[in-house]
Amino acid sequence: MSLPIAELVPPHIRAFEAYVPSRPDPELCRAYRVERLHRLNNNENPLGPPPAAQRVLAGFEPPRASVYPNGDSFFLRATLGERFGKDPERFLVGNGSCEVIASVVKAFCDKGDNIITADKTFAVYEWVAEFSGFEARLVPLKNAAFDPLAMLAAMDGRTKVLFVCNPNNPTGSWWRRDEMERFLRGVDGRAIVVLDEAYREYVDDDDFPDGMELMERHKNVVVFRTFSKMYALAGLRVGYVCGQKDVIDYIRRTHVVYSVNSLGQPAAVAALEDDAGHILATRAMVARARKTLLPAFEELGLPYISGAGNFVMVRTPASDSLIYRQLMRRGMMVRTMTGFRFPNWIRVTLVQEPVMREFLAAFREVVELVRPGGGA
Ligand SMILES: Cc1ncc(COP(=O)(O)O)c(C=O)c1O
């Protein structure tokens, strides 16, 4: 007898399409017949983690792998507490900030509740809500930025969490202090406000609203940060949420303990303690890359969106999947943006100058190829 497996599955799971991650580099290199691949698709920092974190990684003794990690990232929370002048109990560390997104949704949403975010932002907020059976209300961006008034208008008595990606992935837009303040006053404590500051360390502007400060006045604010982007520890999966103690205590109830591994915890501690030079060097690399790419996009007559963060978006003169494949054949992997609801745009991670020049050469060739009168 065949098992009627679909009947066991709730409708919101049947209706959900799984995300398919990219294949590993050796597979892709074989498929596209290239010797090496530059990954410009995930907003990673190719400079690698700060030196102190690299030393921690090099010094890891393999037998330690047999022992479970500390279950609640004790030392990392202590370091975070010191850095931000807060009680370590106000931090909850996860297997990347993706894991804490799920913990927040589980802690606050019940059947019939909704979350609010933008239509063109980091998609995991929307996905977690939907595969958990909750409505995700997606508010259109306005001028490529989160629209605070429309988000407030979308709230109702069943809204539990508002996700604000500040700066936004993929547009790089961010709310200034006064805009954020007005929004938080509008929410007026009726729901949890998540400020996802995954790219916060890339912003060097006094008018950037620091969620770590805001949460002291607006008790419903929680902040997400990650070691995957600026700190270049994406492969070790460490991210965290910080908020008021009672808020974090509820989130902790839904959170898997032991989800942060023994290598990631001390590497993140060392990265935080040795970040000053690393942040400056990374910001300089990103600024230089932006200066190289943007005039070239202009010269090609292609619209682009460039804000904060280590990425830019550019509109492609053909389908983004065609451009992707052509770039892959030249050893350049970018992010197609149709899935982000930006049809026929790509997002490019900003990295070292020589790689940016290589990318531009490949991109120019591809644009030439697909434009009318080109070789395609
Ligand atoms: C806005 C935003 N938040 C969170 C994440 C996830 O980070 P983590 O690697 O900590 O799960 C990303 C990763 O791309 C991101 O762009």
Side-chain angles (χ1 to χ4, degrees), residues 189-255:
R190 288 174 293 156
I192 295 294
V193 175
V194 171
L195 303 180
D196 185 343
E197 298 185 344
Y199 298 94
R200 192 264 169 275
E201 296 88 359
Y202 289 94
V203 187
D204 182 18
D205 190 320
D206 288 343
D207 208 18
F208 185 83
D210 186 351
M212 293 290 184
E213 280 169 36
L214 285 167
M215 69 174 66
E216 303 307 336
R217 278 180 292 115
H218 299 277
K219 310 279 183 196
N220 56 325
V221 165
V222 301
V223 168
F224 288 175
R225 297 220 179 150
T226 178
F227 287 91
S228 299
K229 305 299 176 187
M230 174 60 83
Y231 290 98
L233 291 171
L236 297 183
R237 316 295 302 120
V238 189
Y240 61 95
V241 55
C242 178
Q244 290 296 329
K245 187 165 178 315
D246 54 347
V247 176
I248 297 298
D249 282 344
Y250 281 118
I251 301 172
R252 189 179 297 111
R253 295 181 189 195
T254 71
H255 194 72

Side-chain angles (χ1 to χ4, degrees), residues 104-115:
V104 168
V105 168
K106 278 184 282 190
F108 293 102
C109 292
D110 199 358
K111 200 169 183 324
D113 288 342
N114 65 73
I115 66 111

